[in-house]
Amino acid sequence: MYVKDVEVKNQVGLHARPATFFIQKANEYKSSVWVEKEERRVNAKSLLGVLSLGIVGGTTIKIIADGSDENDAVEGLVKLVESGFAE
């Protein structure tokens, strides 16, 4: 299992469009991937799950992966979040 914290930099956070990019990226990996905010953990490959966390700009989230490409999954998703989803 590989875990990393990242701060959501874009102002609106993970609303529909960035969340869609996030989920598409998560689905590129074989590993199980989760997003955690304040002790609530959801499947990072689920749009409703990610949206249900209500992640806004400035929030720190944990990205967790477990599987054969767990390091790549976490690092790829952290990089996407840090980029601000090109917004």
Side-chain angles (χ1 to χ4, degrees):
M1 186 173 294
Y2 187 62
V3 181
K4 197 163 188 180
D5 289 346
V6 62
E7 182 182 341
V8 178
K9 297 191 186 308
N10 61 323
Q11 282 188 311
V12 292
L14 282 180
H15 65 87
R17 191 168 148 261
T20 300
F21 292 145
F22 187 86
I23 287 141
Q24 287 171 342
K25 186 73 172 171
N27 276 301
E28 292 176 11
Y29 303 103
K30 292 179 184 137
S31 296
S32 297
V33 186
W34 300 276
V35 181
E36 191 174 280
K37 174 191 160 202
E38 299 168 355
E39 307 302 317
R40 271 197 65 217
R41 183 182 290 189
V42 298
N43 183 344
K45 298 179 181 183
S46 162
L47 181 60
L48 285 176
V50 172
L51 289 175
S52 76
L53 290 177
I55 298 166
V56 295
T59 302
T60 299
I61 59 172
K62 280 189 192 310
I63 300 175
I64 305 152
D66 190 21
S68 60
D69 55 358
E70 60 191 30
N71 287 28
D72 291 338
V74 171
E75 293 300 333
L77 290 166
V78 164
K79 190 174 176 182
L80 178 64
V81 171
E82 287 177 339
S83 77
F85 302 92
E87 287 194 19

